[in-house]
Structure formats: structure tokens, C-alpha cells
Amino acid sequence: MSDGVNRLPAPAGSLIDRGQPVDFTFEGRAFQGFVGDTIASALAANDEWLISRSFKYHRPRGILTMAGQDANTLVQIGPEPNVLADMRAITPGLAVMGQNYKGSLEQDRLSFMEKIGRFLPVGFYYKAFYKPKWTWPHWEKVIREIAGLGKVDVHAHHDYYDKEYLFADVAVIGGGPAGMAAACEAARSGLEVILIEENPRLGGSLGYARLDAAGEQGARLARELAAEVAAAQNIRVLSDATCNGFFSDNWLAVIRGNRLFKLRARAVVVATGSLDQPAVFRNNDLPGVMQGSAAQRLIKLYGVRPGRRAVVLTANADGYGVALDLGDADVEVAAVVDLRPATDASDLAQAVRARGVTVLQGQGVAETLYGVGKRHITGALVGEVTGEGELSPALATIPCDLLCMSVGYSPTGQLLHHVGARFAYDRASHMFAPSALPAHVFAAGSVNGSYAIDAVIAEGRRAGWAAAKDAGGAAGAEPAAPGERGAVGVTHPWPIFPSRKGKDFVDFDEDLQFKDLVNGIADGYDHVELLKRYSTVGMGPSQGRHSAVATVRVDAKVTGRDIATMSVTTQRPPYRPEKFGVLAGRVFEPERHTAMHQRHLELGARMMPAGLWYRPAFYGKKEEREQAIREEVRNVRNNVGLIDVSTLGGLDVRGPDAAEFLNRLYTFAYAKQPVGRSRYVLMTDQSGAIIDDGVACRFGEEHFYVTATTSGVDGVYRLMLFWNAQWRLDVDVANVTAAYAGVNLAGPKSREVLQTLCPDVDLSAAAFPYMGVRMGSVAGIPARLMRVGFVGELGYEIHVPASMGEALWDRLMEAGRPFGIRPFGVEAQRVLRLEKGHIIIGQDTDGLTHPYEADMAWAISKNKPYFMGGRSIDIQNRAGLTRKLVGFTLDDPNAPVPEECHLVVRGPEILGRVTSAVISPSLGKVVGLAYVAPDQAEPGKSFDIKVDGGRIIQGRVVPIPFFDPENKRQEM
């Protein structure tokens, strides 16, 4: 096992626990790190720098950012491909393998691809492999063999993933100095604040960057701000969490581990910081070339020496801070190569010179040199900058095994792009910055163009204050405005030094060189969006984080356009690659139980979901399902049955305009509906499609109780509220579904059972006719009673306060015992309703079904000037029917029972489908509903049904209802 030759002593390595060693393997070899190490940091501690291979040329790749912002460290862990080694923590026994190679990581047999690069020019996939045609089958196999990143094991175990819903007044994305300041200021208003940080702890750049010559300011500020956050009881911190998408109405997709948080916030502060931008020169992609911030992360966070002899390529004061940190970590700094002609006068630069470090002013790096197999750099060729992107041919060789780049930044503005923020190029700072933000969105820190630490914190506080105010909090006095933002002089306008020999990579993910972009533009793809799609620049796992700005610069230079008129390519979700498991994870599904739920379980019910509710499907053993359903049906027909209908929607509509309101929403007429009567309600949307049904019970001149389907009530309620807001009628709507429990007592003996418990209501047929409604009491429980007949028998729906539902059930079961009462479930109810020809919305209709197609013209009032969807229904009806819902049976007693969605055909033509079909226990034959062609809809007509196995059986149209067509049983 390797011994950690690059491990630095404390206090370096603030994230690792040196008392807890962790053993793992990489490429089959044993290594050791510490708790808190990532795969990349642990390998670097053991002097293992080659981690992966590039996509196209299979070039060696290693650490670039140490922040998960690149694809250089993608590895495979068991069946899981494309794991970011600089973000994934090591765990005991972890087995890690490199990616994208043939043979071994060190001896990749596909590395020859680099040598045939001339035959793979930009856009070659559009120009090759298709002529002559016979060659494509050969090339397809080759391309499929080497395409893609990582290996997917289709037999891998499915991990557990889930989702959680969160809500906040203010969400702050980014736990650096700006984010912490924003969260603290927003919390002062008393609002609920959620602070999202992708790293294990708060601090951001304060945890690794050097702000002052002594190297103490960052750590001090981090402690102070973290303590302020911890002291605020109304701030919730989500660390190790990535906000991967920012959608409309401040909907944030936050991923932590295997959980997706769906976060809604009233206001959002984006404080995501900025990204180091790499310089472009020959061999700028090899192991040993990394961002200056990556070297600082290795030192400060993980206690790892990033090299032994370093060259720092810089164009700002931050590069000098990198040189100081390298020196403190016992790394010899061979030279600081400063692209700028003028001497840096910052305290950091003066401290570097005071240490005797060589500073090469006005010079740049042309190329890095490498050792065996390009597995690590061995030196850098440095020369004087003679023009934009040009170096003197007189190059000096500086031996080194580490080259740190600190030449400029780009805002980490992907989330702002997601919500439509506009970015503009700032000539003074040579960076893109947000120029306009959407409502309820605020930005602070370097993502917003502030780099001086005092300005960053001040801007964070102002953004937090503004967000709290926007969210309705008592924000108090506005914090002081930030001073000098410090953006000028931190980013070089052209850190690009192309080489005639190539291998000067602009996009590491796609192995795209400077000449590839130039040639793509020459091919006519001179707009950055077209160039992106033609060359694939910015389309790899990093999504252009380190190539987008350079691409715009190259495009502007080659085409002669003003860069201030251009922008980087569109940034879309997700911010980071995300697993399908995260998207497919279990959602939070509330499970609703009726008041009688426990009684159903005690009676042996087999429960089934109905929307969010659980209802009894049938009562009995699972293996006796069909027999149990038949017996429940027969008992309702012959004796009396009891079913829990509490899940049906209930809506109280009250007010002087209640009848007019229903008149406009439903197809029937309700203005003259008598008090004490109910009426069927059918709702269509504005396109005329059926969306719900139920009954409207008029308990008073200004009071209707409207039922709706279990799955449709929430949608109906929303529509009622919406149209009430538009029409402004004098009406109030309340969703009382959860306030009532309901049962349907049905069967020829139901009146006898109910009479024993309901002395204050005359239940005779004359006093309480079919479709009548009454207020009364049942077993002393106040109740709403309705004589309705969904199952086609004498029956009563009884709705009582939910708290009394179980008591009602018990009293009815007790009173019905002498009459043979037994409970029945949803499956029996469906059979009973089908025998009567009643439709189920969503089963016998679809999203396009209008009433005439469903043979429900009887439910449309012809005398109303308006109802929702009426005009569309008229238009559809005048156009003529293309299908019609009919009842059918089978003449062949040996034919199989058709299943839902079995096709109605005429030769090769599909005419419709079966929507419902069962063997009727009451009739002893198959009955069903199906859509057929209009010319097949008359009773007696036959049509073909294609069932399983392609067999064709004959259906015959018959009138509905199938059972008791004169409705004598339910009107008795």
C-alpha cells in the first residue's frame, strides 16, 4: 500500500480526519486516505496523478479544478460510471477504476487515436463513414465500440432514491462569503431561509484562497460568517447539496446524495461565485496542469502537496497568492509567469518577490513538456508575449512537475441562465456579468461581478436584505452599498496562445483544439450556437464551464465581430450531470385513509389506491378474488350491501348566484332545480372534452352540495376558484371532501335497514323519491342523505361528519345483519355500474372525448346560452362523429372476455377500443362498453375486436342499460 508521500502536516487539510484512515483501491491497486478525502485528493496524496483518459484522443488526464467543474477526473465505481473523483468521498473498500481506455489506464491501446487526429477534423462525423454505403455497417460497429463515457451495467442493483418537498421564504444558493452574508441578512427579517452549499462545509473560497499576504484573513472571515449563520435559528443549511436546476416560479431542484429536494422559495439569492478559466497552450491538458485554485484546495482542504516544483501562470494578484501557498506547502516555485506587461503592486505580489521567487513579467507559456506516456508534465516552455496570442520564438525551458493557471474568471451563472437572466460583456473587466435579472431573483458576489472581499460581503448583505423585503419580511434598514468591486484586472482578455503543432485544447471534454474552432467557423458555422453544435464545443459533461468564454473570444477574433455584442452559448439544466435514479426516485405520495379504513382491514379487505386514497378493492382472500367480487355483486342485487364512498369529492357551493355558477360550469341546467332534489352533473373543459361528473344536491335556495370523482375533485375545485375569480359571481366554494365520510347503502333491502336508524326522515318512495336529497340523522348522527343509483339498485348515499364515519359504519353493519348485509368494494361497484351502463370518467372517456361521442347528449341542456365547453361541443357535433361509445355483448359463449384497450378494428383499420368489459354475475354473460365507428353504433350491429394473440372476436351492439333497463329497481 502506498504511503501518502504528498501528505502535508496539519493545519493543512481542514476537511480530513487524520485519525480515521480509509483503505480503497484504484485500478486494482491498494491506496490509503483519510475520512474527508475525495478519490482525487487521496490519489494525489499517494503521488497518483493519472486518473482518466480523454474522450476523443485518449490523452492522459488528471486534476484540473478539484471542484467537480470538469470531466478530467471521471472514474467508474462498480456499475456506476462518470463519477467525479474530485467530489466523491472515499469509503472503506471502495473499488475505483479509470475510464475510457482499452487495456489499462497507463497503457491505453486506443491512445493511437491522437496520431490519426488529422483524419478526424472538426465535424468529421458529418462528412465521413457514409460513402460508399456498404462501409457504414463496418464503421458503425467501430464507433459504437469506442463511443460514450464509462460502462453501464444493465443488471446493476437499483439503489434507493427519493424526493422531498421544501419551502422557504428566501433561498440562498452558494455558501461562500456572499451567500453566508445574504442568508444572515435575510434571516434578520424573521423569515425562513435555506442556504444551499455544494461542499461539505460553508465558506467557499474563504476556505482555500489567499486574500492577504499573511494568509489569515480568509479563515477568520469564514469563522465569523459561519458563526453568524449558526446563531440564526431560522437558517437551514443544506451542505453537500447541489442546486441543479432553477425553474419558473422559483422552483429549485436541489440534489443531496440520493435525494432530490423540490424547493419553492418566494425569493432567491444566487451567490454561486465564479470559475477559473484555463489558459490555452500546447499540452495544457496533461496531468500536472491545473487551476491555481485546485492546487490551493489540495493544500488547504485535503493537506496534499500538489507538486514538487511549480510554475505559476497568472494575470492577476490571485496567482501570486497561489505561489505563496505553494511555497508554504514546501513546493519550490520555479517562476511566476505573468502575462501582463506591468508589474503587479499588490501585497501578494510584493510578498512573492520578497521570498526571492522569479517573476517573468510580460511572458506566457507556449507548451508543457512531458515524460513517459504523457502521464505527467516535466517542464514548461516560456517566452515573451509579443502580441495578442503570440509569444517570442525564443523560448526558455523551466523544469517543473506542476503548472498552476490563474489567468481569469467567468461567473458561475448557469442557474441565472436557467431562469432567463441576461448577461452582457464588460469591457473593463473582460468578463460577462448579469445585466438583467428576473423578478424575485437576486445575485451577489463574483457571480455578479464583485471580487474584492469587502464588496462581496457587502453585496451579499444587500442581496439578502432585498430578497427578504421582496418575500414580505420586515427587512429593516438597507445595508451599506459595496465599495470598489475589484473586478478590473482579475481576468486576462486573451490567455490563448495557439500552437502550430496543435494540442492546444479549448475544450478538454471534447478534445477540441484551437484550430478546430477556427476550421468550424471557416466551414460556415460562425455563430457560437452553430459552432457549438457543429464542433460539439461545450457539449461534454462540463457543459462549457471552461470552454464557453474562450470559444466566444475565438469566434469574435476570427469573424471580426465585437465581443460585446455576443454571448456565451445557452446554459440549460442540469447544472451538473445527474443520475436517472434521482429523477426516477420515489416521490412523496401522501396516503389518505377514510374514517372506516380500519374496519375494512378488520373485515379482510384487499386495499387499492384511488388517487391518494386507499379503498377496498374486494373483501376476502387474494386467491379468491373473482369469487369474492361475484358474491358481493349478487348480495347487492339480492339483499343489501354497504360501500365506503368517503373518497368522492365534496364541494359546498353557497350564495345567491350558486345556481347560475353551476349553470355555467356544467352541461345540465340547475337554475330551476328544486330544493330537495339532486341532478347529474357533467363537466367539460373549454375544448369540450369530458373531465368530471357527479351529482348536485340542492339543500337550499342558495346551497348546493356537489360531488366529484375521487381523482378529479382537486381539478374541479381549482376550476371553480378560477372561474369564480373571472365571473365575480356572489358565490362561495368550499372543498369539504375531507370534512365528510360517506357510505352507499344499496340493495332491495336498504330501505328496511335505514328505517331502523333514521326515524326523523320519511323514507317512503313517495316522500323520498329517486334523486331526492334530505337532511336528517342516522343513528343520531347528523347526515346528508341522497337517493342516487350508481349501482342500479334502491340505495342511499349517507354523508356524515368525518369524525363520525366509523360510528356510522358500525351502526349500519349492526342494523343490516338481519337483512344479510355485507360490505362490497370498488371492483364489485364497477361491475354493478357497468351492468347499468354508467361510465367512469378517465376509463370510458379519454382526454378528447366529448359528450356526443360518449352517448351523453341527454346530459346537455339545449336552453342555456352558455356553459364551459359548450361552443366547442357544438362545433365538434356539427363536424360529425368519428366514433361512438356503445354497449356490447358477445354471442360466442366461448370467446374470451375483452380487456380494456383491446382494439375495435375493421380489417387493418383501427376504429376504436374496448373501455370496460366483464362477465355479468346478474346476467350471466359478457357486457361491456366500446368505441365503434358511427355506422356500427345501432343496436344489433356487429364489430370486430382484436384480443390477445391477434385473435378476432365478434361484439354485438345492444341497448344500455344491460340490467333493469326500465330502472324499476332503483326507483322502487
Side-chain angles (χ1 to χ4, degrees), residues 388-407:
E388 188 175 71
E390 298 177 356
L391 295 175
S392 167
L395 299 175
T397 300
I398 303 178
C400 63
D401 65 348
L402 173 64
L403 192 146
C404 295
M405 302 174 290
S406 183
V407 297

Side-chain angles (χ1 to χ4, degrees), residues 255-387:
I255 298 172
R256 181 165 69 174
N258 286 3
R259 175 166 293 179
L260 171 62
F261 293 92
K262 294 185 171 184
L263 170 60
R264 290 275 188 182
R266 292 181 178 178
V268 177
V269 178
V270 177
T272 46
S274 55
L275 296 170
D276 280 287
Q277 294 298 295
V280 177
F281 51 84
R282 181 170 168 80
N283 295 328
N284 62 334
D285 64 323
L286 297 180
V289 180
M290 66 179 70
Q291 302 289 12
S293 58
Q296 290 176 309
R297 284 184 170 97
L298 283 172
I299 295 168
K300 303 286 187 66
L301 303 181
Y302 303 104
V304 174
R305 182 178 58 183
R308 290 169 176 79
R309 196 168 195 266
V311 169
V312 178
L313 174 63
T314 189
N316 51 43
D318 293 343
Y320 289 91
V322 172
L324 292 173
D325 284 334
L326 290 172
D328 291 347
D330 199 26
V331 178
E332 179 187 354
V333 181
V336 173
V337 180
D338 195 330
L339 293 173
R340 301 168 294 177
T343 300
D344 192 314
S346 67
D347 292 343
L348 294 172
Q350 292 180 37
V352 168
R353 293 190 181 90
R355 293 189 182 189
V357 176
T358 300
V359 177
L360 302 177
Q361 207 72 48
Q363 297 197 36
V365 174
E367 179 180 352
T368 59
L369 307 176
Y370 50 81
V372 177
K374 300 187 182 70
R375 293 196 290 272
H376 209 283
I377 66 169
T378 59
L381 296 180
V382 177
E384 183 182 355
V385 178
T386 58

Side-chain angles (χ1 to χ4, degrees), residues 604-628:
R606 299 290 166 175
M607 306 302 289
M608 61 177 284
L612 298 179
W613 296 91
Y614 272 74
R615 300 187 68 185
F618 62 95
Y619 295 82
K621 297 179 180 179
K622 183 178 182 181
E623 59 271 18
E624 299 174 355
R625 176 181 184 276
E626 298 303 323
Q627 179 183 346

Side-chain angles (χ1 to χ4, degrees), residues 135-158:
T135 63
W136 171 244
H138 167 74
W139 286 114
E140 181 184 19
K141 294 178 182 177
V142 175
I143 292 171
R144 288 189 183 278
E145 177 67 22
I146 63 177
L149 292 174
K151 298 176 182 178
V152 175
D153 181 358
V154 296
H155 302 294
H157 173 72
H158 290 201

Side-chain angles (χ1 to χ4, degrees), residues 61-86:
R61 292 287 168 80
I63 291 171
L64 177 65
T65 65
M66 273 307 296
Q69 301 289 1
D70 63 284
N72 280 15
T73 64
L74 291 178
V75 294
Q76 181 106 15
I77 299 179
E80 183 179 358
N82 300 319
V83 175
L84 288 165
D86 55 354

Side-chain angles (χ1 to χ4, degrees), residues 62 114 135 208 223 263 397 419 440 454 488 738 785 793 833 847:
E114 182 178 358
T135 63
Y208 60 85
R223 288 193 301 270
L263 170 60
T397 300
V419 286
H440 317 299
D454 291 340
V488 176
L785 293 92
E793 295 290 338
R833 68 86 195 176

Side-chain angles (χ1 to χ4, degrees), residues 649-691:
L651 300 160
D652 262 344
V653 181
R654 299 173 186 261
D657 294 330
E660 173 62 18
F661 185 64
L662 298 185
N663 245 12
R664 297 186 188 186
L665 283 173
Y666 291 101
T667 60
F668 238 0
Y670 303 95
K672 297 180 180 179
Q673 178 179 336
V675 174
R677 298 288 292 177
S678 63
R679 184 165 291 177
Y680 180 71
V681 292
L682 183 70
M683 179 177 282
T684 61
D685 62 16
Q686 289 178 289
S687 71
I690 296 171
I691 58 175

